[in-house]
């Protein structure tokens, strides 16, 4: 079955009704209001730091617009400062310097956020489009549970959608529930397991022979891949039975 790729929102896309926009707008209003009051009372050294919050939020959430937003914010602060300068060149220089700092922070955070999202999309593509069934297993408080699964993994376990498996204990699908203990033992000793053959019971009751491989992630979760070898095992069993019959006939 061929899955069509559905393009999703890209980094920097603005979606109507996005609550993040409300948070950014609220932080901008608070920053401008606080600085306006501060300029009235001659406070110009502390309150401008409030602009860092909307700059960082925008650059992280909408990195393709982070630099332009920080520039607009800096120019807005500069324009707001000019009426209070009263011929004081140092206040204007300070406002210009802060504008440059605002743009620099927005550009750096936007760049790092874009790189992070590129890495995330790359590994998400590998996860979703792998020919092996791939799962993220969360140790949890009790039984280890499926936190994420790709399409192949869902089909291997007999589920129509990967989302239906989220929250299910992985031991539910093991034909031998004790097999997970063997996997955990290898993970504890080597932080990885390769070529572990075991049987999984599908939701429809069928049994699937699979080779399990996996590794422990830094946060304690486990990434587990399953390769279906049921057809190969059936062929080996059929060949073994045929050889047995031939040997019996030969004797």
């Amino acid at each position: 079955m061929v899955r069509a790729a559905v393009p999703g929102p890209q980094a920097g896309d603005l979606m109507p009704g996005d609550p993040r926009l409300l948070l950014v707008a609220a932080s901008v209003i608070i920053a401008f209001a606080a600085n306006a009051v501060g300029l009235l009372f001659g406070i110009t050294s502390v309150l401008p730091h409030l602009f860092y919050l909307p700059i960082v939020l925008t650059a992280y959430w909408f990195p393709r617009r982070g630099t332009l937003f920080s520039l607009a914010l800096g120019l807005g602060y500069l324009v707001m400062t000019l009426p209070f300068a009263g011929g004081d060149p140092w206040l204007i220089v300070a406002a210009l310097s802060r504008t440059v700092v605002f743009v620099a922070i927005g550009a750096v955070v936007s760049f790092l956020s874009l790189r992070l999202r590129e890495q995330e999309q790359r590994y998400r593509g590998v996860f979703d489009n792998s020919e092996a069934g791939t799962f993220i297993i969360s140790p949890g408080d009790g039984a280890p549970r499926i936190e994420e699964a790709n399409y192949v993994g869902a089909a291997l376990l007999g589920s129509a959608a990967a989302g239906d498996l989220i929250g299910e204990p992985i031991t539910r699908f093991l034909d031998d529930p004790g097999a997970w203990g063997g996997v955990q033992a290898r993970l504890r000793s080597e932080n990885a397991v390769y070529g572990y053959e075991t049987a999984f019971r599908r939701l429809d009751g069928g049994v699937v022979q699979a080779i399990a491989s996996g590794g422990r992630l830094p946060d304690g979760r486990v990434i587990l891949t399953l390769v279906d070898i049921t057809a190969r095992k059936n062929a080996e069993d059929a060949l073994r039975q045929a050889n047995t019959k031939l040997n019996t006939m030969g004797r």
Side-chain angles (χ1 to χ4, degrees), residues 31 95 121 156 202 227 238:
Q121 290 173 358
L156 189 146
R202 293 164 47 91
V227 176

Side-chain angles (χ1 to χ4, degrees), residues 71-96:
L71 176 61
L73 208 64
L75 292 177
Y77 173 73
L78 178 62
V79 170
M80 184 180 67
T81 304
L82 291 177
F84 296 92
D88 184 2
W90 294 111
L91 185 58
I92 298 176
V93 170
L96 283 171

